[in-house]
Amino acid sequence: MTFSWLLTSTGQAVLAELTPRLTGEATVLPELERLRRLCTPEQARAAVETVQLRQRARAKFSQAERLYFTREALEQASAASVAAHRATRLGRYRQVADLCCGIGGDALALATVGTMVTAVDRDPLRVAMCQANAEALGFGAQVSARVGDLLASPPPDAEALFCDPGRRRGDRRLKDVDAYEPPLNHVLGWQSVTPALAIKLAPGVPREALPGDAEVELVSLDGELKETTLWCGPLVSTRRRATVLHHLDATGGYQVATRSTEHPSPPPGHRLTPPATWLYEPDPAIIRAGMVTDLAVELDAAQLDPQIAYLTAPVHMPTPLARAWRILAWLPFQLKALRAHLRTLDAGEVTVKKRGSPLDTDQLARQLRGPGQRALVVVLTRVAGRPAAIICDPLQV
């Protein structure tokens, strides 16, 4: 196996030498040609791909330069901060099985909190990488990776289970939970033996596809919705939860903000007002969890429209659960009137955001750009059901 060669002293020496030399696409072919004089073509390709994937993985893993990936497994792996957040809840168990473990991102997070991990995947290469990654970070004694078909055999004995079922078939993303590998109902059946079960799902999974007795947690990272986590059995602590993670620095540190509700479905709409002094854009985890109304109450804010997830308030209340802009003006949407108003504000570069509008934001931004010196943000939305444009200071708070 070519991967085994990478783990040898020769393979490690090649990777160490190649890392500073592979600085971009222009260096790939020259480095491949150079390495083919030192090792086989397969080994050269594996070394180059490993360094490339490590460079790409820095956005997810602070120690990416020590880890091993396949392209598909890297795309599917949880970001280290998301996995660490999940591991804090599973860390109360001494032994956890990481099922469909991939290259071991979640297994590493679980090991970090002191858990003994049995990692299972049907792909021998991913299993080998999972074990190698654990050993590279000093967790070789805590992580035991093995090959297994979870459709044909039950999970290993453990106090709790975590499963990240396959959600792709080739290049196609699977939206139906019954098409997951293994299917969601199959995974839920493991509760008969191990009640403590957590399952990673796609962020857009329909609520009606999920069991009513589980906790549904929507997780975002740096403003991007990442996943749904389903918590079952003794792991349930509420009905719905929105968790917002923000990276603090390049070392992998992160801030956590979370809100929960016992409402099985989103509550009815909040009070409505025209735009006031501040415009809030709730985090996508809040929106997807159906907690916009809850956040409005917390911020003493109002909605602009019952169907739109923008909030407004006369006073700014800082929160990690939403971004905020100071409103300079607003008007019913009419292109000529909007351009005229922007000129009075000395508009230069204009950024256009939208929610509830069919217009092309990039095209409109070019049309609205003026000769002035002031950068502005224009938000296209609806106010009480009617199209409107809200002009904001570009500084987010």
Side-chain angles (χ1 to χ4, degrees):
M1 183 189 293
T2 305
F3 177 65
S4 299
W5 173 80
L6 286 175
L7 302 179
T8 65
S9 57
T10 302
Q12 293 295 294
V14 168
L15 290 174
E17 180 191 24
L18 178 62
T19 297
R21 298 173 63 98
L22 203 63
T23 57
E25 288 299 321
T27 62
V28 172
L29 285 178
E31 288 304 311
L32 276 173
E33 292 175 1
R34 182 183 67 83
L35 289 177
R36 283 170 182 159
R37 296 192 291 268
L38 305 173
C39 52
T40 69
E42 292 78 12
Q43 292 168 346
R45 284 195 299 270
V48 167
E49 183 174 50
T50 296
V51 173
Q52 286 180 311
L53 292 177
R54 285 175 170 179
Q55 293 168 348
R56 189 181 304 175
R58 289 171 185 160
K60 284 189 173 184
F61 298 92
S62 61
Q63 301 186 75
E65 72 282 353
R66 301 169 62 187
L67 303 178
Y68 301 92
F69 309 93
T70 69
R71 292 182 186 276
E72 185 180 39
L74 175 57
E75 291 176 4
Q76 295 172 348
S78 302
S81 50
V82 177
H85 164 71
R86 184 165 40 238
T88 60
R89 290 184 69 171
L90 289 166
R92 71 194 205 209
Y93 296 99
R94 292 172 301 170
Q95 187 177 30
V96 177
D98 179 7
L99 310 173
C100 307
C101 65
I103 52 87
D106 282 281
L108 295 175
L110 289 165
T112 299
V113 297
T115 297
M116 300 297 292
V117 184
T118 303
V120 180
D121 201 285
R122 65 183 181 184
D123 183 342
L125 176 57
R126 295 188 184 191
V127 168
M129 287 185 172
C130 176
Q131 193 67 56
N133 288 338
E135 292 170 2
L137 298 189
F139 297 123
Q142 285 178 249
V143 176
S144 174
R146 64 180 70 168
V147 177
D149 184 346
L150 293 163
L151 280 173
S153 303
D157 291 336
E159 296 178 1
L161 307 178
F162 168 70
C163 184
D164 181 4
R167 294 179 297 281
R168 290 192 181 189
R169 189 166 294 149
D171 294 331
R172 185 168 60 91
R173 293 180 183 271
L174 301 174
K175 297 181 179 180
D176 183 357
V177 294
D178 292 329
Y180 285 5
E181 297 179 346
L184 177 58
N185 280 336
H186 183 86
V187 176
L188 290 170
W190 296 336
Q191 291 181 88
S192 61
V193 176
T194 309
L197 171 66
I199 311 169
K200 175 181 170 180
L201 303 173
V205 62
R207 282 197 188 92
E208 58 270 20
L210 305 178
D213 59 350
E215 174 187 337
V216 179
E217 181 183 24
L218 282 300
V219 183
S220 72
L221 176 62
D222 295 332
E224 181 182 353
L225 191 61
K226 290 296 186 181
E227 63 184 60
T228 299
T229 304
L230 201 63
W231 300 96
C232 303
L235 291 166
V236 173
S237 60
T238 188
R239 297 295 297 275
R240 283 183 296 119
R241 183 182 300 277
T243 296
V244 176
L245 308 178
H246 289 289
H247 278 129
L248 298 175
D249 49 47
T251 65
Y254 61 95
Q255 175 192 52
V256 183
T258 183
R259 295 295 185 275
S260 62
T261 178
E262 291 295 335
H263 299 301
S265 58
H270 193 49
R271 60 188 172 91
L272 305 178
T273 70
T277 308
W278 292 92
L279 179 72
Y280 289 100
E281 181 181 47
D283 186 89
I286 292 287
I287 297 172
R288 185 65 188 173
M291 297 174 66
V292 172
T293 298
D294 303 74
L295 181 62
V297 172
E298 180 178 328
L299 298 175
D300 193 21
Q303 290 181 262
L304 300 173
D305 183 278
Q307 304 301 319
I308 301 294
Y310 280 129
L311 303 175
T312 188
V315 177
H316 176 235
M317 188 179 298
T319 175
L321 304 177
R323 298 187 294 175
W325 292 266
R326 186 167 63 89
I327 297 174
L328 303 176
W330 79 277
L331 61 159
F333 180 76
Q334 202 281 330
L335 183 58
K336 184 176 180 180
L338 176 59
R339 294 180 71 177
H341 204 104
L342 289 171
R343 284 196 297 271
T344 68
L345 295 172
D346 191 34
E349 190 74 27
V350 174
T351 300
V352 178
K353 297 173 58 65
K354 72 173 184 177
R355 182 160 286 147
S357 171
L359 297 180
D360 184 309
T361 55
D362 291 336
Q363 180 180 351
L364 186 59
R366 291 191 293 270
Q367 292 177 301
L368 296 179
R369 181 174 181 173
Q373 301 299 311
R374 192 175 188 182
L376 295 169
V377 171
V378 172
V379 179
L380 303 180
T381 187
R382 294 199 303 268
V383 173
R386 296 186 176 183
I390 305 173
I391 305 171
C392 301
D393 188 293
L395 181 64
Q396 294 178 26
V397 294

